[in-house]
Amino acid sequence: MTAAAAPRSLILAGVGGQGVLLASNVVAQVCLDAGLDVKKSEVHGMSQRGGTVVSHIRFGPTVHSVTVEPHTADWVVAFEWAEGLRCLGLLGPGGTAFISRERWVPPSALDDRRGGHVAYPLDQVVPEQVVPVDTFTIAAEAAAAKAAVAQTVMLGVLSRQLEFPADAWTAAIERWAPAKSVPDNLLAFERGRRWEAPRAGTLPRVAPAPAVGPPAEPPPAPVVTIEAAWCKGCEICVAVCPERCLVMDAHDIAVFAHPERCTGCRLCSWLCPDLAIDVAAAAAAPVPA
Amino acid sequence: MTSAAPAATLLSGNEAIALGALHAGVRVATGYPGTPSTEVLEQLARIAPASVHVDWAPNEKVALDVGVGASLGGARVLVTMKHVGLNVAMDSLMTSPLMGVGAGLVVLCADDPGMHSSQNEQDSRLLARFAGVPLFEPADSQEAYEFIQTALQLSEEWDTPCILRTTTRTSHARSRVVPGPAADVSPRPFVRQARKYVMLPAHARVRHLAQLERLPRLQALVETHPAAREEMGDRAVGVVASGMAYQYVREVLPTASVLKLGITFPLPVERIRRFAGAVRRLLVVEELEPYLEDEIRGLGLAVEGKRWFPRAGELSPELVRQGLQAAGVLEAPPAAAAAPALALRPRPPVLCAGCSHATPFLVLRELGAVVHGDIGCYTLAATEPLAAMDTCLAMGSSIGMAVGMARAGSPGRPVVATIGDSTFFHSGMAALLEAVYSRADITVVILDNGVTAMTGGQPTPGSGSDLRGQAAPRASIPDICRALGVATVMVVDPYDLGATRRALRAAVRQRGVSVVVTSRACVEAPVKNRGRVYTVAAARCDGCQLCMNLGCPALLWDQARTEPPRRVWIDPQLCSGCTVCAQLCPQEAIGPVVAPEPEPVGAAGPS
């Protein structure tokens, strides 16, 4: 087996709904039309619901495995920043990752409601192999600046790395994209194909982050006082507390059970019909009862 | 290559099975949706002429019964399901080989090693052996295309149903397929033979002997069948493999000798013996259970398998490589310097923006109910922030489990079952009958969104249309519940938070069985439902984050304010206009985007 006969491997990654499957069908079609053996694989199912989607594509004279081994991919092409970084473990030593700077922050990254920290990769230094691509800026000059087709820019960028002719890509896009979005997709593809990556060494190694915010120090916990004698056990505060800090005790009296989760929103205080709850903004030291 | 060579196309395993079934003259195809099997019938409905019956059945057992009937009636049949669906069809499957077939009958059973979208990862090969049904395992789309045709042909010749077993990878991976010509299959008439087709004990005893007598003949045929092949190379190690495991072996161990099996029940025993004799060390690489390994060991051959390769989860080239390194077949690589890992939060699947399943679970959590869940998109309500599901076992189990828990006693907490419309039709109706009959104090919430949403929006008996989009009788869930004897049946719009609260509160206070049907079309299927986009008035939002408890992916934090408490921002690209967050907001800070817009809604996403 010569090195030339070894299949080459490409990872396409993104978030469910970004069109990863469409893009991977286009790439595989281009390989097939070039007379190569090609296999591609991804997992459908629950990943459609806003989860991660990763497509493995392998092509060459003969291909056996449908999945790519870690540290062997020639290219990683990602439509979303965090999903691109997630796939870097699949990238081989000589490989390149083209990662869109588009960010889809998942709801689960916003669970630090008290501290306001966004658990999403923002400012970290990325390896030399990563080429960030401003998908929307590249597409923006054209009508192609629609979310639905902006990711096709990435296929244009990828097409420069592979030896297939441009019209093979055009034909594959025409075959796989929904008919009404073909012109926009082709435009986005052209923009990506014409895009010049910044010369090595001049790339900003830190992706410019939007003002999503630094991991702030969590503010001191608010002080919530419940006047037990005034509580008649209506449970309104328990039902309404967004952080589910309050519970009813054995005597049907509201208890502030989870002070660590309280954001100090005061909903309980405002809605208590008996004015039994007081929320004080983080006192320097709690007042002894 | 000549110009006359048929063009290669790129097909998923499921698409290849559909094409193969069409080319083999299948006239009846049915099944129940389940990842990773769903696309077979969807593709067949697209490519088959109207004369081919393609439709969904309410569950897998009904599908197989339809299939057996059609087969006896002389039509070639394909029945599709996922691995856990085979359990539902198992009653009919176990007896069907005693009965035999009229025309070819193949059950496609798609296993899900690694549980990408399933509640277990059972190995259906063991069930095929248990039922004594011939088993085909394709390793790529070309084989999927060919094996479905072979299986239908041999089903007729051998007078038995056959199982075509795929895995998630073989079903969903795309690879080259060069199709052949379509067969010309003439229909066979139904032949009345009560001793073969009526499974009275007296008949079944005879038929069981006939089945046992058939197995050695089947095995003799498998010995020479081209579905198996020896790929002889270096004889130091010989590997027996089938399905996707074969591809991984060839990838990782290109020079070894491999016995590639296509039919894995019955096994070509003499070929395995000859192969074992030709190599110095015999290994089996297979996903999930040690099925081939145990069978080969039972032949008295020295064989290694699960000692080196994992029994749980999906195989991969790297796991096969690691196993071969552990076994000393491959040299272990020098320890590589570990790359600095980037701390990345996983991105779990979530309910869609505007999902009609969110409010019932929000209310059930407020009510402190013990909630028995079921199989569907709404199982995602088990995770934060809804976190309102206590159990989930199998299709249709929620209602029976709720009956059981009510029997065991649940002081102070209402017992609730939540079940989707498609799952209710699948296996919830009999359980609801049990709840009524046993006078259990439970509330059943039927989440009716009109489709089987989890698998991509397939129609159900309640949709009013069939797989091909033709009008079909529409089953009414409230009418079914009343007919089963439920006295209190309430129907609410889950987009109306107040009505949903009132209905659920009233329902859990009742004695006996109460049903609340939350009725609202799925926001994504069969058509995308989009209303007016909503927005947050930043000046009014005080950051209480009550709306964030919906888990709606369109609700994010406003970039304009980075210190806590964070204000909420609605992504206009994702908002479906369901209005539920606006109903939740205590500050009335959320309202529709006021038209006309000075500029088009920006495409810049959350950044």
Side-chain angles (χ1 to χ4, degrees), chain A residues 40-41 49 58 69 83 103-104 108 113 116 212 242 244, chain B residues 169 174 251 317 321 345 347 350 365 385 453 549 559 566 606:
Chain A
K40 71 150 209 143
S41 177
R49 306 273 170 256
R58 305 187 72 236
E69 284 190 74
E83 295 315 314
R103 292 168 160 82
W104 283 31
S108 62
R113 296 190 185 167
V212 177
R244 290 136 179 173
Chain B
R169 291 290 167 192
R174 281 180 188 275
E251 182 75 32
R321 189 182 297 281
R345 192 70 89 79
R347 187 188 295 271
V350 293
R365 180 155 168 174
N549 285 348
Q559 309 297 323
R566 295 278 203 160

PDB file of all heavy atoms in Angstrom, chain A residues 40-41 49 58 69 83 103-104 108 113 116 212 242 244, chain B residues 169 174 251 317 321 345 347 350 365 385 453 549 559 566 606:
ATOM      1  N   LYS A  40     -19.252   8.332   3.559  1.00  0.00           N
ATOM      2  CA  LYS A  40     -19.446   9.382   4.549  1.00  0.00           C
ATOM      3  C   LYS A  40     -20.451   8.913   5.580  1.00  0.00           C
ATOM      4  O   LYS A  40     -21.322   8.095   5.305  1.00  0.00           O
ATOM      5  CB  LYS A  40     -19.885  10.687   3.901  1.00  0.00           C
ATOM      6  CG  LYS A  40     -21.272  10.693   3.355  1.00  0.00           C
ATOM      7  CD  LYS A  40     -21.834  12.094   3.428  1.00  0.00           C
ATOM      8  CE  LYS A  40     -23.341  12.036   3.574  1.00  0.00           C
ATOM      9  NZ  LYS A  40     -23.888  13.034   4.428  1.00  0.00           N
ATOM     10  N   SER A  41     -20.273   9.419   6.780  1.00  0.00           N
ATOM     11  CA  SER A  41     -21.079   8.907   7.878  1.00  0.00           C
ATOM     12  C   SER A  41     -21.342   9.992   8.898  1.00  0.00           C
ATOM     13  O   SER A  41     -20.471  10.807   9.210  1.00  0.00           O
ATOM     14  CB  SER A  41     -20.321   7.758   8.564  1.00  0.00           C
ATOM     15  OG  SER A  41     -21.056   7.292   9.670  1.00  0.00           O
ATOM     16  N   ARG A  49     -31.916  17.843  17.067  1.00  0.00           N
ATOM     17  CA  ARG A  49     -32.569  18.807  17.940  1.00  0.00           C
ATOM     18  C   ARG A  49     -31.574  19.802  18.528  1.00  0.00           C
ATOM     19  O   ARG A  49     -31.416  19.886  19.732  1.00  0.00           O
ATOM     20  CB  ARG A  49     -33.306  18.073  19.061  1.00  0.00           C
ATOM     21  CG  ARG A  49     -34.259  17.030  18.555  1.00  0.00           C
ATOM     22  CD  ARG A  49     -35.622  17.607  18.240  1.00  0.00           C
ATOM     23  NE  ARG A  49     -36.422  16.618  17.533  1.00  0.00           N
ATOM     24  CZ  ARG A  49     -36.661  16.642  16.233  1.00  0.00           C
ATOM     25  NH1 ARG A  49     -36.158  17.586  15.477  1.00  0.00           N
ATOM     26  NH2 ARG A  49     -37.391  15.734  15.666  1.00  0.00           N
ATOM     27  N   ARG A  58     -14.586  10.187   3.848  1.00  0.00           N
ATOM     28  CA  ARG A  58     -13.293   9.613   3.476  1.00  0.00           C
ATOM     29  C   ARG A  58     -13.349   9.267   1.986  1.00  0.00           C
ATOM     30  O   ARG A  58     -14.342   8.744   1.505  1.00  0.00           O
ATOM     31  CB  ARG A  58     -12.988   8.372   4.325  1.00  0.00           C
ATOM     32  CG  ARG A  58     -13.063   8.675   5.823  1.00  0.00           C
ATOM     33  CD  ARG A  58     -12.603   7.507   6.675  1.00  0.00           C
ATOM     34  NE  ARG A  58     -11.172   7.327   6.603  1.00  0.00           N
ATOM     35  CZ  ARG A  58     -10.574   6.191   6.246  1.00  0.00           C
ATOM     36  NH1 ARG A  58     -11.294   5.144   5.909  1.00  0.00           N
ATOM     37  NH2 ARG A  58      -9.255   6.122   6.195  1.00  0.00           N
ATOM     38  N   GLU A  69     -10.322   8.112  12.211  1.00  0.00           N
ATOM     39  CA  GLU A  69      -9.651   7.900  13.489  1.00  0.00           C
ATOM     40  C   GLU A  69      -9.130   9.225  14.044  1.00  0.00           C
ATOM     41  O   GLU A  69      -8.796  10.132  13.278  1.00  0.00           O
ATOM     42  CB  GLU A  69      -8.469   6.934  13.309  1.00  0.00           C
ATOM     43  CG  GLU A  69      -8.884   5.493  13.161  1.00  0.00           C
ATOM     44  CD  GLU A  69      -7.679   4.551  13.235  1.00  0.00           C
ATOM     45  OE1 GLU A  69      -7.161   4.357  14.347  1.00  0.00           O
ATOM     46  OE2 GLU A  69      -7.267   4.052  12.186  1.00  0.00           O
ATOM     47  N   GLU A  83     -18.030  24.042  17.772  1.00  0.00           N
ATOM     48  CA  GLU A  83     -18.050  22.699  17.189  1.00  0.00           C
ATOM     49  C   GLU A  83     -16.757  22.427  16.418  1.00  0.00           C
ATOM     50  O   GLU A  83     -16.299  21.286  16.345  1.00  0.00           O
ATOM     51  CB  GLU A  83     -19.276  22.525  16.291  1.00  0.00           C
ATOM     52  CG  GLU A  83     -20.603  22.584  17.046  1.00  0.00           C
ATOM     53  CD  GLU A  83     -20.587  21.759  18.318  1.00  0.00           C
ATOM     54  OE1 GLU A  83     -20.127  20.603  18.279  1.00  0.00           O
ATOM     55  OE2 GLU A  83     -21.016  22.272  19.372  1.00  0.00           O
ATOM     56  N   ARG A 103     -21.126  31.912  15.988  1.00  0.00           N
ATOM     57  CA  ARG A 103     -21.274  31.306  17.311  1.00  0.00           C
ATOM     58  C   ARG A 103     -22.730  31.021  17.608  1.00  0.00           C
ATOM     59  O   ARG A 103     -23.572  31.907  17.535  1.00  0.00           O
ATOM     60  CB  ARG A 103     -20.730  32.260  18.373  1.00  0.00           C
ATOM     61  CG  ARG A 103     -19.244  32.438  18.290  1.00  0.00           C
ATOM     62  CD  ARG A 103     -18.823  33.594  19.164  1.00  0.00           C
ATOM     63  NE  ARG A 103     -17.408  33.518  19.476  1.00  0.00           N
ATOM     64  CZ  ARG A 103     -16.456  33.937  18.655  1.00  0.00           C
ATOM     65  NH1 ARG A 103     -16.774  34.461  17.494  1.00  0.00           N
ATOM     66  NH2 ARG A 103     -15.193  33.839  19.007  1.00  0.00           N
ATOM     67  N   TRP A 104     -23.002  29.788  17.934  1.00  0.00           N
ATOM     68  CA  TRP A 104     -24.337  29.419  18.425  1.00  0.00           C
ATOM     69  C   TRP A 104     -24.160  29.021  19.876  1.00  0.00           C
ATOM     70  O   TRP A 104     -23.687  27.921  20.163  1.00  0.00           O
ATOM     71  CB  TRP A 104     -24.911  28.249  17.623  1.00  0.00           C
ATOM     72  CG  TRP A 104     -25.440  28.620  16.273  1.00  0.00           C
ATOM     73  CD1 TRP A 104     -24.982  29.632  15.470  1.00  0.00           C
ATOM     74  CD2 TRP A 104     -26.504  27.986  15.559  1.00  0.00           C
ATOM     75  NE1 TRP A 104     -25.708  29.654  14.300  1.00  0.00           N
ATOM     76  CE2 TRP A 104     -26.644  28.668  14.329  1.00  0.00           C
ATOM     77  CE3 TRP A 104     -27.346  26.917  15.837  1.00  0.00           C
ATOM     78  CZ2 TRP A 104     -27.594  28.305  13.382  1.00  0.00           C
ATOM     79  CZ3 TRP A 104     -28.290  26.557  14.895  1.00  0.00           C
ATOM     80  CH2 TRP A 104     -28.418  27.247  13.674  1.00  0.00           C
ATOM     81  N   SER A 108     -27.694  25.546  27.345  1.00  0.00           N
ATOM     82  CA  SER A 108     -27.062  24.935  28.520  1.00  0.00           C
ATOM     83  C   SER A 108     -25.816  25.709  28.951  1.00  0.00           C
ATOM     84  O   SER A 108     -25.327  25.523  30.064  1.00  0.00           O
ATOM     85  CB  SER A 108     -26.689  23.480  28.218  1.00  0.00           C
ATOM     86  OG  SER A 108     -25.746  23.437  27.162  1.00  0.00           O
ATOM     87  N   ARG A 113     -26.739  31.423  36.335  1.00  0.00           N
ATOM     88  CA  ARG A 113     -27.599  32.602  36.312  1.00  0.00           C
ATOM     89  C   ARG A 113     -27.197  33.627  37.356  1.00  0.00           C
ATOM     90  O   ARG A 113     -27.483  34.807  37.223  1.00  0.00           O
ATOM     91  CB  ARG A 113     -29.040  32.175  36.530  1.00  0.00           C
ATOM     92  CG  ARG A 113     -29.513  31.288  35.375  1.00  0.00           C
ATOM     93  CD  ARG A 113     -30.981  31.077  35.463  1.00  0.00           C
ATOM     94  NE  ARG A 113     -31.424  30.143  34.439  1.00  0.00           N
ATOM     95  CZ  ARG A 113     -32.616  29.587  34.451  1.00  0.00           C
ATOM     96  NH1 ARG A 113     -33.461  29.864  35.429  1.00  0.00           N
ATOM     97  NH2 ARG A 113     -32.967  28.763  33.500  1.00  0.00           N
ATOM     98  N   GLY A 116     -23.555  34.898  35.871  1.00  0.00           N
ATOM     99  CA  GLY A 116     -23.644  35.430  34.527  1.00  0.00           C
ATOM    100  C   GLY A 116     -22.520  34.969  33.609  1.00  0.00           C
ATOM    101  O   GLY A 116     -22.293  35.553  32.557  1.00  0.00           O
ATOM    102  N   VAL A 212     -19.704  38.939  24.943  1.00  0.00           N
ATOM    103  CA  VAL A 212     -20.564  38.025  25.698  1.00  0.00           C
ATOM    104  C   VAL A 212     -20.224  38.121  27.171  1.00  0.00           C
ATOM    105  O   VAL A 212     -21.052  37.873  28.029  1.00  0.00           O
ATOM    106  CB  VAL A 212     -20.432  36.588  25.189  1.00  0.00           C
ATOM    107  CG1 VAL A 212     -21.255  35.631  26.022  1.00  0.00           C
ATOM    108  CG2 VAL A 212     -20.905  36.543  23.748  1.00  0.00           C
ATOM    109  N   PRO A 242     -37.845  31.461  39.857  1.00  0.00           N
ATOM    110  CA  PRO A 242     -37.227  30.920  38.645  1.00  0.00           C
ATOM    111  C   PRO A 242     -36.097  29.937  38.958  1.00  0.00           C
ATOM    112  O   PRO A 242     -35.844  29.028  38.176  1.00  0.00           O
ATOM    113  CB  PRO A 242     -36.669  32.163  37.935  1.00  0.00           C
ATOM    114  CG  PRO A 242     -37.389  33.320  38.521  1.00  0.00           C
ATOM    115  CD  PRO A 242     -37.708  32.938  39.934  1.00  0.00           C
ATOM    116  N   ARG A 244     -35.972  28.046  41.678  1.00  0.00           N
ATOM    117  CA  ARG A 244     -36.489  26.975  42.532  1.00  0.00           C
ATOM    118  C   ARG A 244     -35.722  26.901  43.851  1.00  0.00           C
ATOM    119  O   ARG A 244     -35.254  25.847  44.278  1.00  0.00           O
ATOM    120  CB  ARG A 244     -36.444  25.643  41.795  1.00  0.00           C
ATOM    121  CG  ARG A 244     -37.467  25.601  40.675  1.00  0.00           C
ATOM    122  CD  ARG A 244     -36.932  25.027  39.387  1.00  0.00           C
ATOM    123  NE  ARG A 244     -37.984  25.000  38.352  1.00  0.00           N
ATOM    124  CZ  ARG A 244     -37.758  24.680  37.089  1.00  0.00           C
ATOM    125  NH1 ARG A 244     -36.551  24.373  36.684  1.00  0.00           N
ATOM    126  NH2 ARG A 244     -38.731  24.678  36.231  1.00  0.00           N
TER     127      ARG A 244
ATOM    128  N   ARG B 169     -24.496   2.794  11.680  1.00  0.00           N
ATOM    129  CA  ARG B 169     -23.494   3.168  10.659  1.00  0.00           C
ATOM    130  C   ARG B 169     -23.857   2.625   9.291  1.00  0.00           C
ATOM    131  O   ARG B 169     -23.748   3.330   8.293  1.00  0.00           O
ATOM    132  CB  ARG B 169     -22.103   2.675  11.068  1.00  0.00           C
ATOM    133  CG  ARG B 169     -21.523   3.380  12.261  1.00  0.00           C
ATOM    134  CD  ARG B 169     -21.135   4.826  11.972  1.00  0.00           C
ATOM    135  NE  ARG B 169     -20.877   5.510  13.238  1.00  0.00           N
ATOM    136  CZ  ARG B 169     -20.738   6.820  13.373  1.00  0.00           C
ATOM    137  NH1 ARG B 169     -20.812   7.615  12.321  1.00  0.00           N
ATOM    138  NH2 ARG B 169     -20.523   7.345  14.549  1.00  0.00           N
ATOM    139  N   ARG B 174     -23.237   6.855   3.831  1.00  0.00           N
ATOM    140  CA  ARG B 174     -23.420   6.826   2.380  1.00  0.00           C
ATOM    141  C   ARG B 174     -22.186   6.240   1.728  1.00  0.00           C
ATOM    142  O   ARG B 174     -21.061   6.584   2.090  1.00  0.00           O
ATOM    143  CB  ARG B 174     -23.609   8.247   1.841  1.00  0.00           C
ATOM    144  CG  ARG B 174     -24.984   8.783   2.050  1.00  0.00           C
ATOM    145  CD  ARG B 174     -25.129  10.201   1.502  1.00  0.00           C
ATOM    146  NE  ARG B 174     -26.418  10.708   1.911  1.00  0.00           N
ATOM    147  CZ  ARG B 174     -27.545  10.472   1.232  1.00  0.00           C
ATOM    148  NH1 ARG B 174     -27.511   9.814   0.096  1.00  0.00           N
ATOM    149  NH2 ARG B 174     -28.690  10.900   1.683  1.00  0.00           N
ATOM    150  N   GLU B 251      -9.590  -1.775   7.514  1.00  0.00           N
ATOM    151  CA  GLU B 251      -8.934  -0.473   7.622  1.00  0.00           C
ATOM    152  C   GLU B 251      -7.667  -0.569   8.465  1.00  0.00           C
ATOM    153  O   GLU B 251      -6.618  -0.045   8.112  1.00  0.00           O
ATOM    154  CB  GLU B 251      -9.905   0.525   8.271  1.00  0.00           C
ATOM    155  CG  GLU B 251      -9.371   1.935   8.403  1.00  0.00           C
ATOM    156  CD  GLU B 251      -9.367   2.673   7.073  1.00  0.00           C
ATOM    157  OE1 GLU B 251     -10.250   2.400   6.253  1.00  0.00           O
ATOM    158  OE2 GLU B 251      -8.456   3.501   6.870  1.00  0.00           O
ATOM    159  N   PRO B 317     -12.694   2.382  14.223  1.00  0.00           N
ATOM    160  CA  PRO B 317     -11.344   1.942  13.841  1.00  0.00           C
ATOM    161  C   PRO B 317     -10.370   2.049  15.004  1.00  0.00           C
ATOM    162  O   PRO B 317      -9.527   1.165  15.196  1.00  0.00           O
ATOM    163  CB  PRO B 317     -10.969   2.884  12.702  1.00  0.00           C
ATOM    164  CG  PRO B 317     -12.197   3.560  12.272  1.00  0.00           C
ATOM    165  CD  PRO B 317     -13.238   3.406  13.331  1.00  0.00           C
ATOM    166  N   ARG B 321      -8.269  -0.908  16.617  1.00  0.00           N
ATOM    167  CA  ARG B 321      -6.805  -0.792  16.667  1.00  0.00           C
ATOM    168  C   ARG B 321      -6.289  -1.050  18.085  1.00  0.00           C
ATOM    169  O   ARG B 321      -5.345  -1.817  18.290  1.00  0.00           O
ATOM    170  CB  ARG B 321      -6.382   0.604  16.191  1.00  0.00           C
ATOM    171  CG  ARG B 321      -4.880   0.780  15.991  1.00  0.00           C
ATOM    172  CD  ARG B 321      -4.533   2.202  15.564  1.00  0.00           C
ATOM    173  NE  ARG B 321      -5.094   2.588  14.278  1.00  0.00           N
ATOM    174  CZ  ARG B 321      -4.587   2.233  13.093  1.00  0.00           C
ATOM    175  NH1 ARG B 321      -3.490   1.494  13.031  1.00  0.00           N
ATOM    176  NH2 ARG B 321      -5.151   2.624  11.976  1.00  0.00           N
ATOM    177  N   ARG B 345     -17.955  22.659  26.768  1.00  0.00           N
ATOM    178  CA  ARG B 345     -19.202  22.123  27.290  1.00  0.00           C
ATOM    179  C   ARG B 345     -19.873  21.315  26.190  1.00  0.00           C
ATOM    180  O   ARG B 345     -19.884  21.727  25.032  1.00  0.00           O
ATOM    181  CB  ARG B 345     -20.051  23.321  27.705  1.00  0.00           C
ATOM    182  CG  ARG B 345     -21.273  23.045  28.530  1.00  0.00           C
ATOM    183  CD  ARG B 345     -20.964  22.597  29.923  1.00  0.00           C
ATOM    184  NE  ARG B 345     -20.811  23.649  30.900  1.00  0.00           N
ATOM    185  CZ  ARG B 345     -21.822  24.292  31.481  1.00  0.00           C
ATOM    186  NH1 ARG B 345     -23.056  24.016  31.157  1.00  0.00           N
ATOM    187  NH2 ARG B 345     -21.597  25.206  32.376  1.00  0.00           N
ATOM    188  N   ARG B 347     -22.854  19.907  23.810  1.00  0.00           N
ATOM    189  CA  ARG B 347     -24.026  20.597  23.266  1.00  0.00           C
ATOM    190  C   ARG B 347     -25.140  19.563  23.146  1.00  0.00           C
ATOM    191  O   ARG B 347     -25.314  18.932  22.112  1.00  0.00           O
ATOM    192  CB  ARG B 347     -23.692  21.192  21.898  1.00  0.00           C
ATOM    193  CG  ARG B 347     -24.780  22.082  21.304  1.00  0.00           C
ATOM    194  CD  ARG B 347     -24.447  22.479  19.875  1.00  0.00           C
ATOM    195  NE  ARG B 347     -23.275  23.303  19.757  1.00  0.00           N
ATOM    196  CZ  ARG B 347     -23.267  24.640  19.813  1.00  0.00           C
ATOM    197  NH1 ARG B 347     -24.394  25.279  19.989  1.00  0.00           N
ATOM    198  NH2 ARG B 347     -22.152  25.320  19.703  1.00  0.00           N
ATOM    199  N   VAL B 350     -31.847  19.706  22.387  1.00  0.00           N
ATOM    200  CA  VAL B 350     -32.844  20.413  23.191  1.00  0.00           C
ATOM    201  C   VAL B 350     -34.177  20.400  22.443  1.00  0.00           C
ATOM    202  O   VAL B 350     -34.219  20.162  21.238  1.00  0.00           O
ATOM    203  CB  VAL B 350     -32.431  21.876  23.465  1.00  0.00           C
ATOM    204  CG1 VAL B 350     -31.218  21.928  24.357  1.00  0.00           C
ATOM    205  CG2 VAL B 350     -32.170  22.619  22.167  1.00  0.00           C
ATOM    206  N   ARG B 365     -43.811  20.284  36.684  1.00  0.00           N
ATOM    207  CA  ARG B 365     -42.776  20.509  37.687  1.00  0.00           C
ATOM    208  C   ARG B 365     -43.306  21.409  38.804  1.00  0.00           C
ATOM    209  O   ARG B 365     -43.031  21.176  39.978  1.00  0.00           O
ATOM    210  CB  ARG B 365     -41.536  21.111  37.046  1.00  0.00           C
ATOM    211  CG  ARG B 365     -40.461  21.362  38.062  1.00  0.00           C
ATOM    212  CD  ARG B 365     -39.088  21.368  37.473  1.00  0.00           C
ATOM    213  NE  ARG B 365     -38.155  21.901  38.467  1.00  0.00           N
ATOM    214  CZ  ARG B 365     -36.851  21.938  38.322  1.00  0.00           C
ATOM    215  NH1 ARG B 365     -36.304  21.475  37.225  1.00  0.00           N
ATOM    216  NH2 ARG B 365     -36.096  22.442  39.246  1.00  0.00           N
ATOM    217  N   PRO B 385     -33.452  22.841  31.782  1.00  0.00           N
ATOM    218  CA  PRO B 385     -34.082  23.388  32.970  1.00  0.00           C
ATOM    219  C   PRO B 385     -35.479  22.851  33.266  1.00  0.00           C
ATOM    220  O   PRO B 385     -35.998  23.144  34.336  1.00  0.00           O
ATOM    221  CB  PRO B 385     -34.166  24.876  32.645  1.00  0.00           C
ATOM    222  CG  PRO B 385     -34.330  24.918  31.171  1.00  0.00           C
ATOM    223  CD  PRO B 385     -33.562  23.737  30.622  1.00  0.00           C
ATOM    224  N   ALA B 453     -42.662  13.012  15.843  1.00  0.00           N
ATOM    225  CA  ALA B 453     -41.723  14.119  15.635  1.00  0.00           C
ATOM    226  C   ALA B 453     -40.268  13.691  15.791  1.00  0.00           C
ATOM    227  O   ALA B 453     -39.390  14.130  15.047  1.00  0.00           O
ATOM    228  CB  ALA B 453     -42.042  15.253  16.603  1.00  0.00           C
ATOM    229  N   ASN B 549     -36.467  29.146  32.084  1.00  0.00           N
ATOM    230  CA  ASN B 549     -36.804  27.804  32.553  1.00  0.00           C
ATOM    231  C   ASN B 549     -37.550  26.992  31.513  1.00  0.00           C
ATOM    232  O   ASN B 549     -37.749  25.789  31.687  1.00  0.00           O
ATOM    233  CB  ASN B 549     -37.642  27.882  33.838  1.00  0.00           C
ATOM    234  CG  ASN B 549     -36.783  28.247  35.028  1.00  0.00           C
ATOM    235  OD1 ASN B 549     -35.563  28.232  34.945  1.00  0.00           O
ATOM    236  ND2 ASN B 549     -37.417  28.593  36.130  1.00  0.00           N
ATOM    237  N   GLN B 559     -26.322  40.701  24.876  1.00  0.00           N
ATOM    238  CA  GLN B 559     -24.890  40.998  24.860  1.00  0.00           C
ATOM    239  C   GLN B 559     -24.591  42.372  25.443  1.00  0.00           C
ATOM    240  O   GLN B 559     -23.458  42.679  25.796  1.00  0.00           O
ATOM    241  CB  GLN B 559     -24.350  40.969  23.426  1.00  0.00           C
ATOM    242  CG  GLN B 559     -24.695  39.743  22.640  1.00  0.00           C
ATOM    243  CD  GLN B 559     -24.085  38.514  23.252  1.00  0.00           C
ATOM    244  OE1 GLN B 559     -22.973  38.573  23.760  1.00  0.00           O
ATOM    245  NE2 GLN B 559     -24.805  37.422  23.243  1.00  0.00           N
ATOM    246  N   ARG B 566     -28.192  38.958  34.276  1.00  0.00           N
ATOM    247  CA  ARG B 566     -28.230  39.063  32.825  1.00  0.00           C
ATOM    248  C   ARG B 566     -29.651  39.301  32.335  1.00  0.00           C
ATOM    249  O   ARG B 566     -30.586  38.664  32.815  1.00  0.00           O
ATOM    250  CB  ARG B 566     -27.733  37.757  32.216  1.00  0.00           C
ATOM    251  CG  ARG B 566     -26.292  37.473  32.510  1.00  0.00           C
ATOM    252  CD  ARG B 566     -25.426  38.215  31.554  1.00  0.00           C
ATOM    253  NE  ARG B 566     -24.125  37.567  31.450  1.00  0.00           N
ATOM    254  CZ  ARG B 566     -23.303  37.754  30.431  1.00  0.00           C
ATOM    255  NH1 ARG B 566     -23.630  38.556  29.447  1.00  0.00           N
ATOM    256  NH2 ARG B 566     -22.151  37.145  30.392  1.00  0.00           N
ATOM    257  N   PRO B 606     -26.258  35.444  17.697  1.00  0.00           N
ATOM    258  CA  PRO B 606     -26.088  35.906  19.058  1.00  0.00           C
ATOM    259  C   PRO B 606     -24.881  36.822  19.244  1.00  0.00           C
ATOM    260  O   PRO B 606     -24.777  37.518  20.232  1.00  0.00           O
ATOM    261  CB  PRO B 606     -25.929  34.617  19.863  1.00  0.00           C
ATOM    262  CG  PRO B 606     -25.566  33.576  18.875  1.00  0.00           C
ATOM    263  CD  PRO B 606     -26.128  34.001  17.571  1.00  0.00           C
TER     264      PRO B 606
END
